[in-house]
Amino acid sequence: MGVRCTVKKFFPIIILFLLTTLVVQGQSFDKLAQTPPMGWNSWNKFGCDVTETLIKQMADAMVSSGMRDAGYQYIVIDDCWQVSRDSSGNIVADPKRFPSGMKALGDYIHKKGLKFGIYSCAGSKTCQGRPGSRGYQFQDARQYAAWGVDYLKYDWCNTGTQDVESSYTTMRDALEKSGRPIVFSICEWGASQPWTWAPEVGNLWRTTFDIRPCWDCGKMVMSNGRLIENFMGFTKILDLQVGLESFSGPGHWNDPDMLEVGNGELTYDENVAHFSLWCILAAPLMLGNDIRNMSDEVQEIITNGEVIAVNQDPLGRQGKKVRDEGDFEIWSRELHDGSRAVVMFNRSEKKEEMSFKWSEIGLPQNLEFTVRDLWKKQNLGKFTGSYSDRVPPHGVVMVRLYHQD
Ligand code: GLA
């Protein structure tokens, strides 16, 4: 049988194989981040001080603290793991800080039942001056896939006159071409209103500049007409999420930045408020604290299964602010079983009686609902028409309303 004859014979099989590969590859990308990604990222607490020992310890802690069982999956190394490119242009991890190499680190993380995340930048350099991916997108994506990377956070420093949408689309295409399903986290700080274009390009997109572990601090520093620093406490970031709810859903999420629970000067009630509101917002839950050494209080907050269930609700509908009376806000989120999650948020300095009506959260006034407190993990009783409670200063009451026929 000649070569032509053999090719002819196997032609249908070859076509079927190619089509199946394409469909399977496409499907695996489509299925990524059906609920907001949950994990840990090195930046908020450790900045550039990242090493393979630290990352391994975080993976160990994610398992031993019960966080993996609570749903946390990704261990993401943010900026500063990379030092140069070799003579073939391959990105090189810092050999002093990551002596075993990234493949070995990825294997370690995978063996723990976790997933491996990494960071790069669309510009020539990262925000900390390390080599960026501009001009190397396909080569980098292939390298990440070979290392077993499952998640890429892609920043926007040193991009000059680059077009934002096409820069991120190039990296999206490079990741898809790599053949490995890699969650794509867009980090251009909300400047180009990414919610208008990013749902087609990435799985999550930052909506603001960086978060800081404080209630309402904020700073914007300009130098020679350039913005060199801009950060905000979590309540300021929260204010900027209003109106973005219609852009997010399964596979594509608004990202109001990583959690600061357990960091800085946040009090217990502020930590609870921050976590509750990020869950109502269907925000990615990327922890930014030292999970090796955390108080029991912080551990209980970040592993509260009933609150996490609101964040991970399969309907994937982002919650929204339904009432704003200055210091007193009501936020509500529709859940897959027809129930509602509601957060009563008290920004004032004193304890306050707050209430909401069913009609404000899209429920019929005359129906009776069981109200469950998600932090006390207790049913509070059956109520018709409205619910009121005492809300701590800088704190929340978070409830879920169930209807039983
Ligand atoms: C930017 C991002 C941060 C972090 C740093 C790292 O500021 O917004 O989340 O990744 O870069 O340099």
Side-chain angles (χ1 to χ4, degrees):
M1 198 163 33
V3 175
R4 267 173 76 190
C5 214
T6 315
V7 169
K8 225 173 162 184
K9 190 173 164 203
F10 290 110
F11 190 68
I13 299 172
I14 295 168
I15 292 295
L16 193 68
F17 173 76
L18 288 175
L19 280 176
T20 319
T21 314
L22 279 177
V23 169
V24 168
Q25 194 166 313
Q27 273 179 356
S28 52
F29 275 90
D30 288 350
K31 285 200 182 118
L32 290 174
Q34 288 302 291
T35 57
M38 293 174 65
W40 176 89
N41 174 300
S42 56
W43 183 253
N44 283 358
K45 178 75 184 177
F46 298 96
C48 270
D49 200 6
V50 283
T51 62
E52 72 179 37
T53 308
L54 179 88
I55 300 302
K56 283 179 173 176
Q57 287 173 353
M58 292 303 163
D60 295 347
M62 192 169 268
V63 177
S64 62
S65 64
M67 290 172 52
R68 182 187 62 187
D69 293 342
Y72 295 91
Q73 251 190 325
Y74 295 96
I75 297 277
V76 184
I77 315 172
D78 208 281
D79 208 346
C80 302
W81 60 267
Q82 61 286 73
V83 277
S84 58
R85 290 192 180 275
D86 68 16
S87 54
S88 310
N90 297 314
I91 190 73
V92 175
D94 186 334
K96 286 200 199 84
R97 290 175 169 265
F98 296 90
S100 314
M102 299 312 245
K103 170 80 172 72
L105 188 52
D107 288 347
Y108 186 90
I109 291 170
H110 290 142
K111 277 202 192 105
K112 298 256 152 192
L114 300 169
K115 292 190 167 172
F116 179 28
I118 213 167
Y119 162 102
S120 189
C121 183
S124 53
K125 288 186 173 161
T126 72
C127 296
Q128 303 305 314
R130 306 305 176 94
S133 287
R134 181 158 84 200
Y136 296 91
Q137 296 89 339
F138 285 79
Q139 189 170 357
D140 283 356
R142 272 198 306 277
Q143 179 69 86
Y144 304 152
W147 286 341
V149 166
D150 305 295
Y151 182 109
L152 174 68
K153 172 175 170 183
Y154 202 50
D155 217 333
W156 188 241
C157 282
N158 304 300
T159 45
T161 56
Q162 278 176 242
D163 175 68
V164 64
E165 191 173 338
S166 57
S167 298
Y168 280 97
T169 303
T170 303
M171 189 43 118
R172 189 268 321 263
D173 292 347
L175 293 176
E176 289 201 4
K177 192 85 196 300
S178 81
R180 186 175 172 87
I182 298 178
V183 169
F184 190 28
S185 159
I186 294 173
C187 178
E188 67 72 78
W189 322 307
S192 71
Q193 305 197 318
W195 43 90
T196 60
W197 56 265
E200 304 299 318
V201 181
N203 300 109
L204 56 155
W205 53 86
R206 282 273 296 277
T207 54
T208 66
F209 285 104
D210 293 6
I211 196 166
R212 283 290 187 281
C214 56
W215 168 254
D216 65 353
C217 64
K219 195 171 173 191
M220 191 189 268
V221 185
M222 306 283 290
S223 170
N224 299 326
R226 271 187 55 229
L227 183 65
I228 55 165
E229 205 177 3
N230 196 346
F231 63 79
M232 284 167 275
F234 85 87
T235 58
K236 291 205 163 145
I237 291 202
L238 180 70
D239 291 339
L240 295 170
Q241 307 314 306
V242 175
L244 301 186
E245 48 275 354
S246 62
F247 299 99
S248 98
H252 49 276
W253 308 99
N254 286 308
D255 175 8
D257 206 359
M258 299 170 292
L259 291 159
E260 290 284 19
V261 173
N263 279 343
E265 56 202 51
L266 293 175
T267 65
Y268 172 76
D269 283 324
E270 291 170 350
N271 277 323
V272 169
H274 178 18
F275 196 76
S276 304
L277 287 157
W278 261 231
C279 288
I280 283 279
L281 288 172
L285 296 182
M286 301 303 289
L287 296 160
N289 62 321
D290 186 348
I291 58 175
R292 298 167 307 179
N293 302 301
M294 52 186 167
S295 66
D296 291 348
E297 269 182 355
V298 166
Q299 186 168 345
E300 273 165 30
I301 293 171
I302 62 181
T303 55
N304 181 325
E306 296 195 35
V307 178
I308 291 174
V310 172
N311 178 267
Q312 294 289 301
D313 185 76
L315 183 63
R317 191 161 292 168
Q318 181 173 328
K320 60 181 179 188
K321 182 155 73 175
V322 296
R323 181 155 30 106
D324 186 339
E325 291 174 318
D327 278 346
F328 311 110
E329 296 174 2
I330 306 293
W331 291 74
S332 161
R333 177 168 177 188
E334 187 185 344
L335 304 172
H336 76 284
D337 55 359
S339 68
R340 293 284 189 284
V342 179
V343 165
M344 297 193 276
F345 183 29
N346 175 8
R347 295 185 185 227
S348 82
E349 306 289 332
K350 57 180 180 35
K351 199 167 196 171
E352 190 71 25
E353 179 87 14
M354 291 181 68
S355 68
F356 62 91
K357 289 195 188 121
W358 292 181
S359 56
E360 292 180 283
I361 57 170
L363 296 176
Q365 273 297 113
N366 57 351
L367 285 191
E368 182 178 78
F369 285 86
T370 297
V371 176
R372 182 169 177 80
D373 187 311
L374 301 187
W375 287 107
K376 288 188 184 143
K377 299 182 184 166
Q378 273 172 19
N379 287 351
L380 301 169
K382 295 184 177 195
F383 297 82
T384 304
S386 69
Y387 177 72
S388 65
D389 211 332
R390 306 255 296 155
V391 186
H394 281 202
V396 296
V397 166
M398 183 172 189
V399 292
R400 184 160 175 171
L401 274 66
Y402 296 94
H403 178 59
Q404 273 134 10
D405 290 320

